[in-house]
Amino acid sequence: MSFLKRMIKKGIGEGIEKAVGEAVSKVVEPKATELANKAAKHIEEASKPAVAETKKTFSGLEEAFSNLERAAQGYATEAAKNIKICPECGKPANAEVKFCQDCGAKLPEKTVAEGAVCPKCGKQNAIGTKFCQDCGEKLPQAIEEENAQMQRDNDVLTKEWAEYLPEYPVWDQGGNRFNIEQYDTEIFSFTACFDGSYVDAKEAVRQYRETLKSAGFTQAGQYPSEEHLYKMVGEKCYHADTEHCFESNSDCPAIGFSVGEPTGGFNYVKPEPKKKTSILDLFK
């Protein structure tokens, strides 16, 4: 495959991905490949005129490339008329299916394309658009996604928190796209996203440290730190780690939760310094 053909195929693939997201782009991929091959053939044939027409040729190429994304979006919209996306696992399904075949979740009533039709003016917007391009009305798909995300966030802070992190105060510092991930039997992380605002994320973590302190968590061990707070509950020592929460993402802090005492133990007491002695002390 020539470099030009690869670039055209890449352009169409990215256009579809931008238009409908990864789940739908996989369904559309076979047609995208066919479209890329046809476009490559026409553009390569158009790029063979004499040197005197070089400027005209590149002008034509520029126009052809600028049309790739529109062509991809047009086909994606047509294909999306028969596609639903599972709100739980993100897998695509045919329009007539009511429940996801992968996870069993109830599928949306509307197809992906129907979700991009403006309820106010009736315009069929490009797939993935949140607001109508003609009148600015929020589209059904955007509303449905927001509601689904709110429900997922609520489930994390109620059902999942009660199951995995009952010893810790529930997060109530804002954000969205909450997630609890389990790494081992008693090692978890909780993530909250703040949509590009590191300042808001940092302040939320600071506030949560205060919430932990109000719930009885405290600095402990040989090297006490406000970023590592501990609480003894019976025989177990529960630990909240906010030191490393911004290492992966500046606006989505991941707070670590684990069971284990700090260096030196929870009740570590700094030894008294040894008293200096002199030879005269031997005769006292």
Side-chain angles (χ1 to χ4, degrees):
M1 181 184 290
S2 69
F3 172 76
L4 180 60
K5 186 176 289 188
R6 287 199 301 272
M7 290 302 294
I8 292 168
K9 184 175 180 179
K10 181 175 183 289
I12 289 179
E14 289 179 350
I16 289 175
E17 184 104 1
K18 182 178 179 181
V20 300
E22 183 179 354
V24 180
S25 71
K26 289 178 180 177
V27 178
V28 179
E29 182 62 33
K31 186 65 178 182
T33 301
E34 180 184 341
L35 183 60
N37 291 335
K38 288 181 179 179
K41 181 179 180 181
H42 289 302
I43 294 175
E44 285 181 325
E45 288 176 354
S47 65
K48 299 175 183 178
V51 176
E53 297 184 17
T54 299
K55 185 175 181 180
K56 182 179 179 181
T57 298
F58 278 97
S59 176
L61 287 173
E62 183 179 351
E63 183 180 353
F65 275 106
S66 69
N67 288 332
L68 287 177
E69 186 174 321
R70 287 197 295 273
Q73 288 180 341
Y75 178 75
T77 299
E78 191 63 30
K81 291 180 179 179
N82 192 43
I83 295 174
K84 293 179 179 178
I85 299 297
C86 176
E88 293 296 326
C89 68
K91 295 294 178 64
N94 291 331
E96 66 274 8
V97 178
K98 295 183 178 180
F99 294 90
C100 179
Q101 294 175 325
D102 278 27
C103 70
K106 183 175 174 53
L107 294 172
E109 294 294 328
K110 295 180 181 295
T111 65
V112 175
E114 289 170 340
V117 174
C118 179
K120 185 176 181 180
C121 69
K123 178 180 175 60
Q124 173 68 71
N125 290 272
I127 308 304
T129 306
K130 292 185 180 295
F131 295 90
C132 179
Q133 296 164 318
D134 277 5
C135 69
E137 184 80 2
K138 184 174 282 190
L139 299 175
Q141 184 65 35
I143 296 172
E144 190 171 290
E145 288 174 359
E146 288 177 4
N147 291 339
Q149 185 61 59
M150 288 175 62
Q151 183 59 53
R152 284 194 292 271
D153 286 347
N154 182 66
D155 287 344
V156 170
L157 296 183
T158 54
K159 299 175 183 178
E160 293 186 23
W161 198 284
E163 180 180 357
Y164 299 117
L165 303 172
E167 295 80 13
Y168 303 90
V170 178
W171 176 270
D172 63 351
Q173 277 66 47
N176 54 50
R177 302 197 299 281
F178 304 140
N179 183 55
I180 295 176
E181 189 167 355
Q182 183 173 9
Y183 298 99
D184 204 342
T185 306
E186 295 179 310
I187 301 177
F188 300 86
S189 73
F190 167 75
T191 304
C193 293
F194 288 84
D195 299 325
S197 178
Y198 171 66
V199 174
D200 290 346
K202 189 175 181 181
E203 175 60 19
V205 172
R206 187 197 68 77
Q207 290 176 2
Y208 188 64
R209 279 198 292 265
E210 296 303 314
T211 301
L212 286 164
K213 292 176 187 176
S214 298
F217 285 78
T218 183
Q219 301 180 40
Q222 189 174 354
Y223 308 104
S225 167
E226 193 174 52
E227 294 176 320
H228 292 269
L229 299 176
Y230 299 84
K231 181 179 180 179
M232 291 297 299
V233 180
E235 298 294 322
K236 284 188 175 183
C237 180
Y238 292 92
H239 170 214
D241 173 10
T242 59
E243 179 183 2
H244 307 288
C245 59
F246 291 104
E247 290 183 353
S248 297
N249 197 319
S250 63
D251 65 344
C252 294
I255 299 173
F257 298 100
S258 60
V259 172
E261 295 194 32
T263 302
F266 181 81
N267 296 313
Y268 175 82
V269 178
K270 188 176 181 179
E272 292 288 337
K274 292 183 179 180
K275 294 181 179 181
K276 293 183 179 180
T277 58
S278 70
I279 193 169
L280 297 177
D281 294 328
L282 298 174
F283 299 97
K284 290 183 179 180

